[in-house]
Amino acid sequence: RSDQHSFQPYGLDPSKAIYSVSRNCLNCALLDAASSYSECEILFEHQCAGIDLSERRVFFQDGELSIPYRRLIAADGAFSAIRAQLQRERFDYQQHYLTHGYKELCIPPTSSGSHRLEPNALHIWPRKSFMLIALPNRDGSFTCTLFAPFEGENSFEAMRDVQHFFREELPDALELMPTLEDDFRQNPIGPLVTIRCHPWQYKGEVVLLGDACHAVVPFLGQGMNAAFEDCFVLSECLARHGDNTETAFVEYQDQRKEHVDVLADLAIENYYEMRDHVGSSLFRWKKKGEVILHRLLGNLYIPLYTLISFTRVPYADALRRAKRQSRILTVSVVGMILLLILIWILSWI
């Protein structure tokens, strides 16, 4: 397996790429932007513990601090304490865990500080029931993530001798990972959860945003983008409706929910594609065919991945367009085959 490599561009335009962004740097940039507003107060080490909807107060884990609110935007993550309280009202909630989890590992830089692999690429080791990926960092290292089942064959449960497992299944990766055993022992196994819920708002007083209302698995790299889109749409709705926040919150919810529900399904599908298919010759030919069609037809044919990753076409609209393109292409190919058969038959008459 170690000598089987292929480079697969994201699309027709070589400048289009998915960028690996440091979570810490992004958090610092957002905090700097928020602190530039005089009316914004930032409190650290105050984890949200819950909310009193009747009293309009938010409580924090230290038990000594509660803050009154007039309007509350809750962006407190996939395991949102605010959402947990809303679930006691009339509220639909669904969470789904994959049977696979993940563990972060590392490929350190060389002694000279350079990357051990091509830095301008996402590296994938697809192995059907599990996979390893590596994302480049500015310091010359790669953040690696091993995705595998919790139990069963090739699972975290079965990886009692991680060196032996990597020697058998990922030998070329093992050569690059001198800290593998320490990383594997020290880093926890994380779950992969999809969350759907409705409604996202309560009486125009509380509204959920980001993972708090639509957590998705990370295999399309769109979770953060979807949250930023939430911010953009919510801002537009608030600007349109002014003090009528209930109308603004409902409009924001109605605009976004269909699309993030579709994103959740697409992200899971892309996991199986990355894990099972990217190493397949048939899959690579299919992708090359999509690029050729895009090159020949321009905006008349845009692959689904391009629509999702490199345009602002909403996710559900992108999926509908991709299905429509596929139907037209199928009908066209079948029609051409039938026409050729008809011409062949007529040539014998």
Side-chain angles (χ1 to χ4, degrees):
R1 286 172 175 168
S2 60
D3 60 349
Q4 298 176 8
H5 302 103
S6 70
F7 175 73
Q8 300 176 29
Y10 283 110
L12 178 62
D13 185 348
S15 69
K16 298 285 179 63
I18 304 297
Y19 291 97
S20 177
V21 180
S22 162
R23 184 184 297 267
N24 182 61
C25 291
L26 175 64
N27 285 340
C28 289
L30 293 173
L31 287 168
D32 289 344
S35 61
S36 68
Y37 292 88
S38 58
E39 61 268 46
C40 182
E41 181 182 3
I42 299 173
L43 301 177
F44 293 98
E45 297 182 7
H46 287 79
Q47 183 175 344
C48 181
I51 185 175
D52 187 321
L53 294 171
S54 59
E55 296 292 327
R56 293 189 185 178
R57 299 191 75 86
V58 183
F59 298 94
F60 296 86
Q61 257 188 359
D62 59 12
E64 298 179 0
L65 179 65
S66 68
I67 298 176
Y69 65 87
R70 181 166 169 263
R71 301 288 184 266
L72 179 67
I73 298 174
D76 56 336
F79 302 101
S80 166
I82 304 299
R83 187 191 65 232
Q85 181 63 41
L86 295 184
Q87 287 172 226
R88 301 184 183 187
E89 307 298 321
R90 287 195 306 159
F91 194 90
D92 294 325
Y93 175 74
Q94 179 189 53
Q95 70 178 27
H96 169 71
Y97 282 93
L98 291 185
T99 55
H100 291 58
Y102 70 93
K103 185 183 282 280
E104 282 201 356
L105 305 169
C106 179
I107 295 176
T110 65
S111 57
S112 62
S114 60
H115 292 88
R116 295 173 186 258
L117 294 168
E118 166 58 50
N120 297 309
L122 160 66
H123 297 266
I124 307 174
W125 290 260
R127 294 295 186 267
K128 301 294 186 182
S129 63
F130 68 97
M131 72 173 180
L132 178 72
I133 68 170
L135 288 161
N137 299 311
R138 288 182 178 273
D139 65 359
S141 68
F142 283 84
T143 297
C144 299
T145 311
L146 177 63
F147 298 95
F150 285 101
E151 298 98 15
E153 186 179 3
N154 294 326
S155 68
F156 287 114
E157 181 184 57
M159 294 180 200
R160 294 181 178 86
D161 185 343
V162 66
Q163 288 275 350
H164 174 75
F165 179 82
F166 268 67
R167 269 195 305 273
E168 291 293 314
E169 300 290 345
L170 301 157
D172 54 332
L174 178 60
E175 295 172 4
L176 306 170
M177 304 173 75
T179 60
L180 173 63
E181 285 201 66
D182 289 340
D183 293 339
F184 196 89
R185 183 175 61 255
Q186 293 171 9
N187 295 338
I189 303 170
L192 295 163
V193 66
T194 298
I195 288 173
R196 292 178 169 92
C197 66
H198 187 269
W200 291 3
Q201 66 90 35
Y202 176 79
K203 295 182 178 180
E205 299 168 4
V206 179
V207 66
L208 302 173
L209 185 145
D211 280 359
C213 49
H214 55 74
V216 299
V217 293
F219 302 107
L220 271 172
Q222 289 291 310
M224 180 181 70
N225 289 346
F228 283 148
E229 286 180 346
D230 285 353
C231 297
F232 184 79
V233 173
L234 178 58
S235 177
E236 286 187 325
C237 293
L238 288 168
R240 257 194 306 274
H241 298 288
D243 290 336
N244 190 349
T245 52
E246 184 164 8
T247 299
F249 289 171
V250 169
E251 183 179 304
Y252 147 74
Q253 163 197 283
D254 291 346
Q255 281 193 40
R256 294 293 295 151
K257 180 164 172 55
E258 176 192 19
H259 300 296
V260 293
D261 282 351
V262 166
L263 173 63
D265 293 331
L266 290 174
I268 292 173
E269 288 175 17
N270 206 55
Y271 174 47
Y272 298 122
E273 185 171 286
M274 292 171 69
R275 193 191 72 186
D276 299 352
H277 302 310
V278 295
S280 159
S281 298
L282 181 62
F283 174 84
R284 292 198 293 273
W285 278 109
K286 176 177 176 288
K287 287 297 181 182
K288 287 178 181 177
E290 290 181 348
V291 171
I292 291 170
L293 284 171
H294 187 26
R295 187 186 302 277
L296 292 173
L297 301 176
N299 288 336
L300 293 176
Y301 182 93
I302 303 177
L304 177 59
Y305 190 89
T306 301
L307 287 168
I308 290 171
S309 299
F310 306 122
T311 77
R312 285 205 62 229
V313 175
Y315 301 114
D317 295 345
L319 181 60
R320 280 190 285 267
R321 173 169 176 165
K323 287 181 176 179
R324 186 168 62 250
Q325 291 175 166
S326 180
R327 286 194 299 269
I328 292 171
L329 185 61
T330 300
V331 170
S332 299
V333 170
V334 170
M336 287 179 64
I337 292 172
L338 291 175
L339 179 61
L340 290 171
I341 292 173
L342 178 60
I343 292 171
W344 181 79
I345 292 172
L346 290 174
S347 70
W348 285 90
I349 295 176

